[in-house]
Amino acid sequence: MGSRLDAWPAGHAARRAGAVGARWVRHGSRAFLALAAAAALAGCSVGIPDPAASPVAPSAPALATPTITPGHDAAAVAAKDMPFTAGGTLAAGSAVQLSDGLRDAPGWKPVTENVAGASEYIKDDGCVASAKVRANQSALAVAGDDKASTEALFQYLDASILPDYLQPGTLRWGGEPGAPAPAVEVLVFTGGDQAGARATAIYARLFSASGSSVYLSVSCPDAAALAAARADAEAWTAVIPPSA
């Protein structure tokens, strides 16, 4: 796995170098003198009103009508499944979060909670879960395509993770643990087939319209422990829809 998986920066917005055009000023002194002379002449002129002209009534100030850009219908979005094709129902900049439900799952306890958008949990059998939320991800996003955007996110985290290695998966889309809830579509990478490596599953989704992403990784000493830990993570962790 690449090093970025464990050191995901708080924002991935790409810094783009923009070429700044040089401004050429020709005949600067002449232009300045001409402008100064014109200003001096204007300062010496005296305006004399025409007595026959009707006075001009001052215009009454008017309030400008504000332009309202509607966002998404938060309640409607939260009430339905969130497949990749529905990512456009989120408003730009809307905050998507991950719940802390895993802290209440049997056998799990929190290690760190919401530190720079990241939380970590450990299970009594040695499994570890890491949950991360990131904003300002538009530089990685493929406009209007959350699946391709999520593939780009995995590539950013580890260039060796090709799209063919990713499998479709789901997490809870809001709701409470133990109760029915809509599902949010994610991509899942599994690893740890090498001898001595920890068994790992990584869930991620980049929401191209909102410019935010969620990431949940689970690693365990062996495949059997991972299967149980994944069931816990999927049951107790929810992607929280934007509330406004």
Side-chain angles (χ1 to χ4, degrees):
M1 302 295 292
S3 60
R4 292 186 180 181
L5 287 171
D6 297 321
W8 194 3
H12 305 303
R15 297 183 177 89
R16 298 171 180 170
V20 180
R23 298 179 179 175
W24 296 91
V25 181
R26 296 194 176 105
H27 309 296
S29 58
R30 292 183 185 177
F32 176 81
L33 291 175
L35 181 61
L41 291 174
C44 295
S45 62
V46 179
I48 301 176
D50 182 359
S54 301
V56 178
S59 58
L63 294 176
T65 303
T67 301
I68 300 174
T69 302
H72 67 285
D73 184 335
V77 169
K80 298 186 294 185
D81 289 341
M82 175 54 64
F84 287 122
T85 54
T89 60
L90 299 179
S94 55
V96 178
Q97 301 293 333
L98 280 171
S99 74
D100 61 354
L102 202 55
R103 72 192 313 275
D104 299 320
W108 290 88
K109 63 180 180 180
V111 178
T112 58
E113 293 187 276
N114 198 24
V115 177
S119 299
E120 188 172 87
Y121 310 87
I122 189 168
K123 194 178 180 183
D124 51 19
D125 63 358
C127 292
V128 177
S130 178
K132 301 179 184 181
V133 178
R134 294 292 181 259
N136 302 321
Q137 303 282 278
S138 297
L140 294 174
V142 178
D145 192 335
D146 280 17
K147 185 174 184 290
S149 298
T150 304
E151 292 170 348
L153 173 61
F154 272 103
Q155 282 271 285
Y156 176 83
L157 296 176
D158 188 332
S160 69
I161 301 179
L162 302 178
D164 289 345
Y165 299 165
L166 303 175
Q167 299 296 322
T170 60
L171 290 172
R172 297 171 61 86
W173 182 238
E176 297 294 330
V184 55
E185 202 169 9
V186 297
L187 289 180
V188 184
F189 172 79
T190 56
D193 297 332
Q194 301 87 350
R198 288 175 65 88
T200 305
I202 301 172
Y203 304 74
R205 168 81 179 255
L206 198 161
F207 299 89
S208 60
S210 71
S212 61
S213 64
V214 294
Y215 165 102
L216 174 66
S217 70
V218 183
S219 67
C220 295
D222 54 56
L226 177 63
R230 287 186 64 177
D232 289 342
E234 293 173 7
W236 291 83
T237 304
V239 181
I240 303 176
S243 59

